[in-house]
């Protein structure tokens, strides 16, 4: 078997959590799954499941095969104005 070699940047990206701006400062109308999951305190796969089964508190839109989550709806679910 051959061991997989990862660059230092790849290892760092996996080990360090992503940094997202506070929800109050987010000015885009939609955010990607990883960022929406961060705000909702859920794993990204949970949001993907909601999108697939259409049974979650939010419904994303699909843009070129990717999910985009409405920031206004995230704020409404969290009770943040």
């Amino acid at each position: 078997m051959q061991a997989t070699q990862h660059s230092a940047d790849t290892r760092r990206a996996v080990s360090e959590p992503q940094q997202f701006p506070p929800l109050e400062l987010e000015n885009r109308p939609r955010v990607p799954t990883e960022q929406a999951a961060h705000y909702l305190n859920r794993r990204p796969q949970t949001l993907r499941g909601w999108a697939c089964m259409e049974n979650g508190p939010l419904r994303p839109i699909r843009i070129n095969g990717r999910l985009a989550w409405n920031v206004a709806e995230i704020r409404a679910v969290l009770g943040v104005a």
Side-chain angles (χ1 to χ4, degrees):
M1 296 193 83
Q2 185 178 19
T4 303
Q5 296 293 325
H6 296 287
S7 70
D9 291 336
T10 302
R11 285 191 302 271
R12 190 175 313 109
V14 169
S15 64
E16 294 176 6
Q18 289 184 314
Q19 299 295 318
F20 297 112
L23 184 58
E24 298 80 25
L25 299 179
E26 183 57 61
N27 58 6
R28 295 179 292 174
R30 291 173 196 86
V31 293
T33 300
E34 289 73 20
Q35 191 169 354
H38 170 79
Y39 294 138
L40 294 166
N41 198 27
R42 298 285 181 264
R43 299 189 132 230
Q45 195 61 28
T46 300
L47 275 67
R48 292 183 192 104
W50 291 349
C52 182
M53 301 299 236
E54 297 184 352
N55 65 353
L58 301 172
R59 298 247 171 105
I61 64 167
R62 288 169 173 82
I63 302 173
N64 293 329
R66 295 188 179 261
L67 300 174
W69 301 84
N70 190 314
V71 172
E73 290 179 12
I74 294 171
R75 288 183 176 135
V77 166
L78 297 175
V80 178

